[in-house]
Coordinates of all heavy atoms in Angstrom, one line a residue:
R128 N 98.5 130.9 140.7 CA 98.0 131.5 141.9 C 97.5 132.7 141.6 O 96.4 133.2 141.9 CB 99.2 131.5 143.0 CG 98.8 132.5 144.0 CD 97.7 132.1 144.9 NE 97.6 132.9 146.2 CZ 97.1 134.2 146.2 NH1 96.7 134.8 145.0 NH2 97.0 134.8 147.3
H129 N 98.3 133.6 140.8 CA 97.9 134.9 140.4 C 96.8 135.0 139.5 O 95.9 135.8 139.6 CB 99.1 135.7 139.8 CG 100.2 136.0 140.7 ND1 100.1 136.5 142.1 CD2 101.5 135.8 140.6 CE1 101.3 136.6 142.6 NE2 102.1 136.2 141.9
A130 N 96.8 133.9 138.5 CA 95.7 133.9 137.5 C 94.3 133.6 138.2 O 93.3 134.2 138.0 CB 96.0 133.0 136.5
T131 N 94.4 132.5 139.1 CA 93.1 132.0 139.6 C 92.5 133.0 140.5 O 91.3 133.2 140.6 CB 93.3 130.7 140.3 OG1 94.3 130.8 141.2 CG2 93.7 129.6 139.3
S132 N 93.4 133.7 141.3 CA 92.9 134.8 142.3 C 92.3 135.9 141.5 O 91.1 136.4 141.8 CB 94.1 135.3 143.0 OG 93.7 136.5 143.8
Y133 N 92.8 136.3 140.4 CA 92.3 137.4 139.4 C 91.0 137.0 138.9 O 89.9 137.8 139.0 CB 93.2 137.8 138.3 CG 92.6 138.6 137.3 CD1 92.5 140.1 137.5 CD2 92.2 138.2 136.1 CE1 91.9 140.9 136.6 CE2 91.6 139.0 135.2 CZ 91.5 140.4 135.5 OH 91.0 141.2 134.4
W134 N 90.8 135.7 138.4 CA 89.6 135.3 137.8 C 88.5 135.1 138.9 O 87.3 135.3 138.6 CB 89.8 133.9 137.0 CG 90.7 134.2 135.7 CD1 90.5 135.3 135.0 CD2 91.5 133.3 135.1 NE1 91.4 135.1 133.8 CE2 92.0 133.9 134.1 CE3 92.0 132.1 135.5 CZ2 92.9 133.3 133.1 CZ3 93.0 131.4 134.8 CH2 93.5 132.1 133.4
R135 N 88.8 134.5 140.1 CA 87.9 134.4 141.0 C 87.2 135.7 141.5 O 86.0 135.9 141.6 CB 88.4 133.7 142.2 CG 87.5 133.4 143.4 CD 88.2 132.5 144.4 NE 87.4 132.3 145.8 CZ 87.4 133.0 146.7 NH1 88.3 134.0 146.9 NH2 86.7 132.7 147.7
N136 N 88.1 136.7 141.7 CA 87.7 138.0 142.1 C 86.9 138.6 141.1 O 85.8 139.4 141.3 CB 88.8 139.0 142.5 CG 89.5 138.4 143.7 OD1 88.9 137.9 144.7 ND2 90.8 138.7 143.8
K137 N 87.3 138.5 139.8 CA 86.4 139.1 138.6 C 85.1 138.5 138.5 O 84.2 139.3 138.3 CB 87.3 138.9 137.4 CG 86.7 139.6 136.1 CD 87.6 139.6 135.0 CE 86.9 140.1 133.7 NZ 86.4 141.5 133.8
C138 N 85.1 137.1 138.6 CA 83.7 136.5 138.6 C 82.8 137.0 139.7 O 81.7 137.3 139.5 CB 83.9 134.9 138.7 SG 82.5 134.0 138.7
K139 N 83.3 137.2 140.8 CA 82.4 137.8 142.0 C 82.1 139.2 141.7 O 80.9 139.6 142.0 CB 83.3 137.6 143.3 CG 83.4 136.1 143.7 CD 84.0 136.1 145.2 CE 84.1 134.8 145.7 NZ 84.6 134.7 147.1
T140 N 82.9 140.1 141.2 CA 82.6 141.4 140.9 C 81.7 141.5 139.8 O 80.8 142.4 139.9 CB 83.9 142.1 140.6 OG1 84.9 142.1 141.6 CG2 83.7 143.6 140.3
D141 N 81.8 140.8 138.7 CA 81.0 140.9 137.6 C 79.7 140.2 137.7 O 78.7 140.4 137.0 CB 81.7 140.5 136.3 CG 82.9 141.3 136.0 OD1 83.1 142.3 136.5 OD2 83.7 140.9 134.9
G142 N 79.6 139.2 138.7 CA 78.4 138.5 138.8 C 78.2 137.3 137.7 O 77.0 136.9 137.5
K143 N 79.2 136.9 137.0 CA 79.1 136.0 136.0 C 80.5 135.2 135.8 O 81.5 135.9 136.0 CB 78.7 136.6 134.8 CG 79.6 137.7 134.1 CD 79.0 138.4 132.9 CE 79.9 139.4 132.2 NZ 79.4 140.0 131.1
P144 N 80.5 134.1 135.1 CA 81.7 133.4 134.9 C 82.5 134.3 133.9 O 82.1 135.0 133.0 CB 81.2 132.1 134.1 CG 79.8 131.9 134.8 CD 79.3 133.3 134.8
V145 N 83.9 134.0 134.0 CA 84.9 134.7 133.3 C 85.2 133.7 132.0 O 84.8 132.5 132.1 CB 86.1 135.0 134.0 CG1 85.8 135.9 135.1 CG2 86.9 133.8 134.5
H146 N 86.0 134.2 131.2 CA 86.8 133.3 130.2 C 88.2 133.1 130.6 O 89.0 134.0 130.4 CB 86.8 134.0 128.8 CG 87.3 133.2 127.7 ND1 86.6 132.5 126.6 CD2 88.7 132.8 127.5 CE1 87.5 131.9 125.9 NE2 88.8 132.0 126.4
G147 N 88.3 132.0 131.4 CA 89.7 131.8 131.9 C 90.3 130.5 131.4 O 89.5 129.5 131.5
R148 N 91.5 130.5 131.0 CA 92.0 129.3 130.4 C 93.4 129.1 131.0 O 94.3 129.9 130.9 CB 92.1 129.3 129.0 CG 90.8 129.4 128.2 CD 90.0 128.2 128.3 NE 88.7 128.3 127.5 CZ 87.6 128.8 128.0 NH1 87.4 129.1 129.2 NH2 86.5 128.8 127.2
L149 N 93.6 127.9 131.7 CA 94.9 127.5 132.3 C 95.4 126.4 131.5 O 94.7 125.3 131.4 CB 94.8 127.0 133.7 CG 94.6 128.1 134.8 CD1 94.2 127.3 136.1 CD2 95.8 129.0 135.0
I150 N 96.6 126.5 130.8 CA 97.2 125.5 130.0 C 98.6 125.1 130.7 O 99.5 126.0 130.6 CB 97.2 125.9 128.6 CG1 95.8 126.2 128.1 CG2 97.9 124.6 127.9 CD1 95.8 126.7 126.7
S151 N 98.7 123.9 131.3 CA 99.9 123.5 131.8 C 100.8 122.7 130.9 O 100.2 121.9 130.2 CB 99.8 122.9 133.1 OG 99.0 123.8 134.1
T152 N 102.1 122.7 131.1 CA 103.0 122.0 130.2 C 103.6 120.9 131.2 O 104.4 121.2 132.1 CB 104.0 122.7 129.6 OG1 103.4 123.7 128.8 CG2 104.9 121.8 128.5
S153 N 103.2 119.6 130.8 CA 103.8 118.4 131.6 C 104.6 117.6 130.7 O 105.1 118.1 129.6 CB 102.7 117.7 132.3 OG 103.3 116.6 133.1
S154 N 104.8 116.4 130.9 CA 105.6 115.5 130.1 C 105.1 114.0 130.4 O 104.7 113.8 131.5 CB 107.0 115.7 130.3 OG 107.7 114.5 129.9
E155 N 105.3 113.2 129.4 CA 105.0 111.9 129.6 C 105.9 111.2 130.8 O 105.6 110.1 131.3 CB 105.2 111.0 128.4 CG 104.0 111.3 127.4 CD 104.3 110.8 125.9 OE1 105.0 111.6 125.1 OE2 103.9 109.6 125.6
A156 N 107.0 111.9 131.1 CA 107.9 111.6 132.2 C 107.0 111.5 133.5 O 107.4 110.6 134.4 CB 109.1 112.5 132.3
F157 N 106.0 112.1 133.6 CA 105.1 112.1 134.8 C 104.5 110.6 134.9 O 104.1 110.2 136.0 CB 104.2 113.3 135.0 CG 102.8 112.9 134.5 CD1 101.8 112.5 135.4 CD2 102.3 113.2 133.3 CE1 100.6 112.3 135.0 CE2 101.1 113.0 132.8 CZ 100.1 112.4 133.7
L158 N 104.2 110.1 133.9 CA 103.5 108.8 133.6 C 104.6 107.6 133.9 O 104.3 106.7 134.5 CB 102.8 108.6 132.4 CG 101.5 109.5 132.1 CD1 101.1 109.5 130.7 CD2 100.4 108.9 133.0
F159 N 105.7 107.7 133.1 CA 106.6 106.6 133.0 C 107.9 106.7 133.8 O 108.7 105.9 133.8 CB 107.0 106.3 131.5 CG 105.8 106.3 130.6 CD1 105.4 106.9 129.5 CD2 104.8 105.2 130.8 CE1 104.4 106.9 128.7 CE2 103.7 105.0 130.0 CZ 103.5 105.9 128.9
G160 N 108.0 108.0 134.4 CA 109.3 108.2 135.0 C 110.4 108.6 134.0 O 110.2 108.4 132.7
S161 N 111.6 108.9 134.3 CA 112.6 109.1 133.4 C 113.9 108.9 134.1 O 114.2 109.6 135.2 CB 112.6 110.7 133.0 OG 113.6 110.8 132.0
A162 N 114.6 107.7 133.9 CA 115.8 107.4 134.5 C 116.9 108.5 134.9 O 117.4 108.4 135.9 CB 116.4 106.2 133.9
G163 N 117.0 109.4 133.9 CA 118.0 110.4 134.1 C 117.5 111.7 134.5 O 118.1 112.6 134.5
Q164 N 116.2 111.7 134.8 CA 115.6 113.0 135.2 C 114.6 112.9 136.3 O 113.4 113.1 136.3 CB 114.7 113.5 133.9 CG 115.6 113.9 132.7 CD 114.6 114.3 131.5 OE1 113.6 113.5 131.2 NE2 114.9 115.4 131.0
P165 N 115.0 112.5 137.4 CA 114.2 112.3 138.6 C 113.6 113.7 139.2 O 112.4 113.6 139.7 CB 115.0 111.7 139.8 CG 116.4 111.9 139.3 CD 116.4 111.9 137.8
N166 N 114.4 114.7 138.8 CA 113.8 116.0 139.2 C 112.8 116.4 138.4 O 111.7 117.0 138.7 CB 114.9 117.0 139.2 CG 115.9 117.0 138.0 OD1 115.6 116.2 137.0 ND2 117.0 117.8 138.0
Y167 N 113.0 116.4 137.0 CA 112.0 116.8 136.0 C 110.8 115.9 136.1 O 109.7 116.6 136.0 CB 112.8 116.6 134.6 CG 111.9 117.0 133.4 CD1 111.7 118.2 133.0 CD2 111.4 115.9 132.7 CE1 110.9 118.6 131.9 CE2 110.5 116.2 131.5 CZ 110.5 117.4 131.2 OH 109.7 117.8 130.0
A168 N 110.9 114.6 136.1 CA 109.8 113.8 136.3 C 108.8 114.1 137.5 O 107.5 114.1 137.4 CB 110.1 112.3 136.3
A169 N 109.4 114.3 138.6 CA 108.8 114.6 139.7 C 108.0 116.0 139.6 O 106.9 116.2 140.1 CB 109.6 114.7 141.0
A170 N 108.6 117.0 139.0 CA 108.0 118.2 138.9 C 106.9 118.2 137.9 O 105.8 118.8 138.2 CB 109.1 119.3 138.3
K171 N 107.0 117.3 136.9 CA 105.8 117.2 135.9 C 104.7 116.5 136.5 O 103.5 116.8 136.2 CB 106.3 116.5 134.6 CG 107.3 117.3 133.8 CD 106.8 118.8 133.4 CE 107.7 119.4 132.4 NZ 107.1 120.9 132.2
A172 N 104.9 115.6 137.4 CA 103.9 114.8 138.1 C 103.2 115.9 138.9 O 101.9 115.9 139.0 CB 104.4 113.7 139.0
G173 N 103.9 116.6 139.6 CA 103.4 117.8 140.6 C 102.4 118.7 139.7 O 101.3 119.2 140.1
I174 N 103.1 119.1 138.6 CA 102.3 120.0 137.6 C 100.8 119.5 137.3 O 99.8 120.1 137.4 CB 103.1 120.4 136.5 CG1 104.3 121.3 136.8 CG2 102.2 120.9 135.4 CD1 105.2 121.5 135.7
T175 N 100.8 118.3 136.9 CA 99.6 117.5 136.5 C 98.7 117.5 137.7 O 97.5 117.8 137.4 CB 100.0 116.1 136.0 OG1 100.9 116.2 134.9 CG2 98.6 115.4 135.4
A176 N 99.0 117.1 138.9 CA 98.2 117.0 139.9 C 97.6 118.4 140.3 O 96.4 118.5 140.6 CB 99.0 116.3 141.2
M177 N 98.4 119.3 140.3 CA 98.1 120.7 140.7 C 97.0 121.3 139.7 O 96.0 121.9 140.0 CB 99.2 121.6 140.8 CG 98.9 123.1 141.2 SD 100.5 124.0 141.7 CE 101.4 123.8 140.2
T178 N 97.2 120.9 138.4 CA 96.3 121.4 137.4 C 95.0 120.7 137.6 O 93.9 121.3 137.3 CB 96.9 121.2 135.9 OG1 98.2 121.8 136.0 CG2 96.1 121.7 134.9
M179 N 94.9 119.4 137.8 CA 93.7 118.7 137.8 C 93.0 119.3 139.1 O 91.7 119.4 139.1 CB 94.0 117.2 138.3 CG 94.7 116.5 137.0 SD 93.7 116.6 135.5 CE 94.4 117.9 134.6
G180 N 93.7 119.6 140.2 CA 93.0 120.3 141.3 C 92.4 121.6 141.1 O 91.2 122.0 141.3
A181 N 93.2 122.4 140.2 CA 92.6 123.7 139.8 C 91.5 123.6 138.7 O 90.4 124.3 139.0 CB 93.8 124.4 139.0
A182 N 91.4 122.5 138.1 CA 90.3 122.3 137.2 C 89.1 122.1 138.0 O 88.0 122.6 137.7 CB 90.5 121.0 136.3
Q183 N 89.1 121.4 139.0 CA 87.9 121.1 140.0 C 87.3 122.3 140.5 O 86.1 122.4 140.6 CB 88.3 120.1 141.0 CG 88.7 118.7 140.4 CD 89.2 117.6 141.4 OE1 88.7 117.6 142.5 NE2 90.3 117.0 141.0
I184 N 88.3 123.1 141.1 CA 87.9 124.2 141.9 C 87.4 125.5 141.2 O 86.7 126.3 141.6 CB 88.9 124.6 143.0 CG1 88.2 125.3 144.2 CG2 90.0 125.4 142.5 CD1 89.2 125.5 145.4
M185 N 88.1 125.5 139.9 CA 87.8 126.8 139.1 C 86.8 126.7 138.1 O 86.4 127.8 137.5 CB 89.1 127.2 138.4 CG 90.2 127.6 139.4 SD 89.8 128.9 140.5 CE 89.6 130.3 139.3
F186 N 86.2 125.5 137.9 CA 85.2 125.4 136.6 C 84.1 126.3 136.9 O 83.6 127.0 135.8 CB 84.8 123.9 136.5 CG 84.1 123.8 135.2 CD1 84.8 123.7 133.9 CD2 82.7 123.6 135.2 CE1 84.1 123.5 132.8 CE2 82.1 123.4 133.9 CZ 82.7 123.4 132.8

Side-chain angles (χ1 to χ4, degrees):
R128 165 63 171 78
H129 294 314
T131 55
S132 176
Y133 172 77
W134 287 327
R135 179 173 179 264
N136 291 335
K137 182 174 174 58
C138 178
K139 289 185 173 184
T140 299
D141 294 350
K143 61 181 181 180
V145 301
H146 179 112
R148 300 289 185 268
L149 289 171
I150 300 169
S151 298
T152 307
S153 186
S154 164
E155 289 165 276
F157 99 87
L158 287 168
F159 306 122
S161 184
Q164 298 176 307
N166 46 5
Y167 176 80
K171 291 306 189 183
I174 286 168
T175 304
M177 184 167 57
T178 306
M179 296 302 97
Q183 295 172 42
I184 201 169
M185 294 303 298
F186 190 74

